[in-house]
């Protein structure tokens, strides 16, 4: 071995070989990109109507100075780079693109190029550089050019840039352009900040019931999935179909109920469901797994939506393909959603005549739901007799028992004491009324505290 040299390990040599292969693939991809661009332009020319003065096809630009001016929104630089008489109808091909480390197997990592064709309009539209966009449009930039698979209008809507969206539409951008992912600009309006973009799209002819290619979602599905009440109200005002089903069998109502919701999102999703039901959405529509909106609202623990669905005729004992009723769905997730007040849902379901848990499974329910004593209280008060054993005691962890000692002592004391006569009378009346408890009890000529007792109000103990 000569001085100053060193030995490459087999792994290092293999890594170098992979990097060399990667560079070769990158060169090949650049050729493919160029071929793709040529094919794209041929197709565009074939689709374009004949005009007396056909515009020149866009040129490919790799100029870093132009790219820097676009990405920084430097209008003065763009005015110098695109003087009057020049064209801004360009396709930007970034020099090399971004690079990232990716695993290649056998414990090796290699640098890989990320490169996507774009246009000056895409860059400025996504960043809200309206003045730069206006200059580019004056210099002949094509509003519907989509070399990377999306138009500049998709880009402005995705990044919630209403002024850019409006400007593109004024200059003839297609409000119903479909990206290579099969979505229209209206489907990309997925956040509250995108409302103004959605308004402009509809004003310029966006299809209110346009479908995505992959899932067959309408814009109303998208608004419902993302808990967007303002978008929902807007789409309903424009005549959105309230009960269209997508490929999974979900209507917008099902879609809203099926989304995982944190505490701060509960009210937004409730408002969406309220609007949909106000426009006649059907509460009984089920998805491919026979899961109704009530199943989904219970699984995601939104008490207000559950109350709303029940008030609109949802059935508490409908079974999905797995043979589970809504009560099963809520009990499975109580331990994860204590802050959502799952006890409200359990109470509402039982007051509407829900089937109860098999008594032999109550220790298991105690184990999973012990962190929500109110849920346990409501559930246990639906039974006239309970057989409390040592298994019940073992189901509650010492930490939870210590935190809710008074309540669990009242539960475990039932091993030696029968239920009170008052409770037995409550159970008898509830059994007689069945699923009419929630309707009949409020109408009885009884003191309020007795009505609440019959409706399983929480007391912090059982007796």
């Amino acid at each position: 071995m000569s001085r100053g040299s060193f030995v490459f390990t087999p792994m290092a040599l293999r890594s170098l070989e992979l990097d060399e292969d990667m560079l070769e693939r990158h060169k090949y991809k650049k050729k493919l990109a160029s071929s793709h661009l040529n094919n794209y332009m041929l197709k565009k020319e074939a689709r374009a109507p004949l005009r007396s003065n056909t515009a020149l096809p866009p040129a490919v630009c790799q100029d870093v100075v132009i790219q820097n001016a676009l990405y920084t929104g430097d209008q003065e630089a763009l005015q110098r780079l695109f003087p009057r008489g020049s064209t801004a109808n360009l396709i930007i091909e970034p020099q090399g693109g971004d690079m990232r480390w990716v695993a290649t197997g056998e414990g090796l990592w290699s640098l890989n190029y990320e490169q996507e064709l774009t246009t000056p309009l895409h860059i400025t539209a996504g960043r809200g550089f309206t003045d730069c966009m206006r200059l580019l449009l004056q210099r002949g930039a094509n509003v519907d050019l989509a070399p990377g698979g999306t138009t500049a209008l998709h880009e402005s809507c995705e990044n919630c840039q209403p002024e850019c969206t409006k400007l593109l539409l004024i200059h003839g951008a297609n409000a119903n352009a479909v990206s290579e992912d099969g979505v229209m600009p209206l489907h990309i309006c997925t956040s509250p900040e995108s409302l103004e973009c959605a308004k402009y799209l509809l004003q310029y002819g966006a299809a209110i019931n346009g479908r995505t290619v992959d899932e067959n979602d309408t814009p109303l599905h998208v608004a419902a999935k993302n808990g967007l009440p303002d978008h929902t109200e807007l789409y309903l005002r424009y005549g959105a179909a309230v009960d269209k089903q997508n490929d999974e069998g979900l209507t917008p109502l099902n879609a809203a109920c099926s989304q995982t919701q944190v505490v701060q999102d509960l009210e937004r999703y409730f408002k969406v469901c309220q609007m949909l039901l106000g426009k006649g959405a059907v509460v009984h529509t089920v998805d491919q797994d026979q899961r109704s909106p009530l199943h989904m609202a219970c699984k995601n623990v939104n008490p207000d939506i559950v109350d709303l669905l029940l008030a609109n005729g949802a059935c508490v004992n409908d079974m999905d393909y797995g043979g589970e009723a809504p009560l099963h769905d809520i009990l499975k997730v109580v331990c994860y959603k204590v802050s959502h007040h799952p006890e409200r849902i359990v109470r509402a379901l039982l007051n509407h005549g829900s089937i109860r848990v098999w008594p032999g499974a109550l220790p298991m329910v105690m184990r999973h739901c012990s962190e929500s004593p109110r849920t346990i209280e409501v559930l246990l008060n639906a039974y006239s007799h309970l057989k409390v054993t040592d298994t019940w005691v073992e189901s509650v962890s010492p930490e939870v028992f210590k935190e809710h000692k008074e309540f669990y002592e009242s539960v475990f004391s039932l091993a030696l004491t029968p239920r009170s006569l008052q409770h037995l009378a409550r159970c008898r009346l509830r059994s007689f009324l069945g699923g009419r408890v929630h309707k009949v009890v409020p109408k009885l000529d009884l003191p309020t505290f007795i009505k609440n007792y019959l409706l399983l109000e929480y007391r912090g103990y059982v007796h």
Side-chain angles (χ1 to χ4, degrees):
M1 183 185 306
S2 62
R3 183 177 297 177
S5 64
F6 59 92
V7 178
F8 280 101
T9 64
M11 184 173 290
L13 287 170
R14 176 59 178 157
S15 181
L16 288 172
E17 290 173 0
L18 289 172
D19 283 340
E20 184 179 3
D21 291 342
M22 180 269 296
L23 290 172
E24 291 298 324
R25 288 197 301 272
H26 172 60
K27 292 178 183 177
Y28 178 67
K29 285 181 180 178
K30 287 186 69 175
K31 291 181 181 179
L32 283 181
S34 178
S35 174
H36 168 72
L37 174 59
N38 291 335
N39 291 336
Y40 169 80
M41 292 311 305
L42 287 173
K43 291 177 182 176
K44 288 288 286 185
E45 290 174 4
R47 289 197 300 265
L50 294 175
R51 298 177 184 174
S52 57
N53 53 344
T54 306
L56 293 174
V60 177
C61 173
Q62 293 182 335
D63 192 323
V64 176
V65 175
I66 292 179
Q67 292 181 29
N68 287 340
L70 291 169
Y71 281 109
T72 57
D74 190 339
Q75 186 181 358
E76 292 183 3
L78 289 176
Q79 286 175 334
R80 292 195 305 271
L81 293 167
F82 298 102
R84 292 184 182 277
S86 64
T87 178
N89 197 27
L90 304 174
I91 290 178
I92 302 296
E93 185 179 19
Q95 286 279 9
D98 296 328
M99 299 187 74
R100 62 186 178 91
W101 288 98
V102 294
T104 58
E106 301 178 4
L108 300 176
W109 289 76
S110 180
L111 281 171
N112 189 30
Y113 283 99
E114 286 185 335
Q115 183 170 320
E116 184 175 297
L117 299 176
T118 185
T119 73
L121 277 185
H122 283 72
I123 296 169
T124 52
R127 287 161 177 77
F129 300 148
T130 313
D131 292 335
C132 294
M133 278 185 58
R134 189 174 288 108
L135 173 67
L136 294 169
L137 290 166
Q138 290 170 356
R139 300 295 187 267
N142 186 338
V143 289
D144 286 327
L145 198 59
T150 62
T151 66
L153 191 58
H154 285 91
E155 197 76 20
S156 67
C157 292
E158 183 176 5
N159 291 280
C160 306
Q161 303 292 348
E163 291 306 313
C164 293
T165 298
K166 180 181 180 181
L167 186 59
L168 288 167
L169 290 166
I170 289 174
H171 282 78
N174 182 3
N176 293 310
V178 180
S179 72
E180 65 179 10
D181 294 327
V183 297
M184 300 176 188
L186 206 54
H187 295 121
I188 298 178
C189 297
T190 58
S191 67
E193 295 75 23
S194 67
L195 179 63
E196 293 303 314
C197 291
K199 288 180 179 178
Y200 286 132
L201 289 169
L202 289 169
Q203 288 172 12
Y204 282 84
I208 189 60
N209 291 314
R211 301 293 195 113
T212 61
V213 173
D214 287 345
E215 297 181 355
N216 224 12
D217 282 335
T218 66
L220 191 57
H221 280 94
V222 175
K225 285 182 179 179
N226 290 280
L228 303 176
D230 292 334
H231 289 67
T232 301
E233 182 182 18
L234 174 68
Y235 297 161
L236 291 172
R237 193 170 357 115
Y238 271 82
V242 76
D243 278 323
K244 289 281 188 182
Q245 290 180 273
N246 64 11
D247 287 344
E248 295 180 356
L250 299 175
T251 65
L253 179 62
N254 296 62
C257 295
S258 67
Q259 298 305 299
T260 301
Q261 302 160 24
V262 295
V263 172
Q264 54 266 35
D265 291 341
L266 297 180
E267 185 178 359
R268 291 196 295 113
Y269 280 95
F270 168 72
K271 288 181 179 178
V272 169
C273 293
Q274 194 174 38
M275 292 177 190
L276 293 172
L277 288 167
K279 287 293 184 177
V282 179
V283 297
H284 305 295
T285 305
V286 295
D287 65 5
Q288 294 174 337
D289 296 320
Q290 294 295 302
R291 300 179 63 77
S292 68
L294 186 59
H295 282 95
M296 299 167 182
C298 289
K299 181 180 179 181
N300 290 303
V301 196
N302 193 320
D304 290 331
I305 292 181
V306 169
D307 289 340
L308 183 66
L309 294 171
L310 292 172
N312 281 271
C315 182
V316 294
N317 290 320
D318 281 345
M319 300 287 183
D320 61 17
Y321 270 145
E324 295 189 337
L327 185 63
H328 295 107
D329 287 314
I330 178 64
L331 293 178
K332 285 181 179 179
V333 296
V334 166
C335 59
Y336 308 111
K337 298 290 185 75
V338 175
S339 60
H340 288 220
H341 301 292
E343 68 276 2
R344 281 184 53 193
I345 295 179
V346 175
R347 181 185 178 194
L349 294 175
L350 291 172
N351 284 336
H352 280 75
S354 172
I355 58 173
R356 298 174 300 175
V357 177
W358 173 58
L362 287 175
M364 182 183 299
V365 174
M366 291 273 290
R367 184 179 301 111
H368 289 288
C369 304
S370 59
E371 293 183 26
S372 175
R374 282 189 167 186
T375 300
I376 299 296
E377 178 185 350
V378 171
L379 196 62
L380 297 184
N381 282 335
Y383 298 84
S384 58
H385 299 83
L386 294 170
K387 187 178 181 180
V388 179
T389 64
D390 291 341
T391 307
W392 287 49
V393 179
E394 295 167 358
S395 298
V396 180
S397 69
E399 295 79 15
V400 174
F401 178 81
K402 183 178 179 180
E403 184 178 355
H404 307 286
K405 183 178 179 181
E406 183 178 354
F407 171 74
Y408 283 110
E409 282 181 343
S410 72
V411 173
F412 300 150
S413 68
L414 296 179
L416 304 173
T417 309
R419 303 302 298 264
S420 68
L421 183 60
Q422 184 181 10
H423 173 71
L424 294 176
R426 169 170 63 180
C427 289
R428 184 71 186 90
L429 181 57
R430 287 178 59 87
S431 176
F432 173 76
L433 294 175
R436 299 175 297 150
V437 171
H438 67 287
K439 291 182 178 179
V440 176
V441 170
K443 297 178 181 179
L444 295 176
D445 187 17
L446 294 171
T448 301
F449 77 92
I450 295 181
K451 293 180 183 179
N452 292 337
Y453 181 74
L454 291 171
L455 293 171
L456 304 179
E457 187 182 46
Y458 329 111
R459 294 192 168 189
Y461 60 89
V462 295
H463 64 283

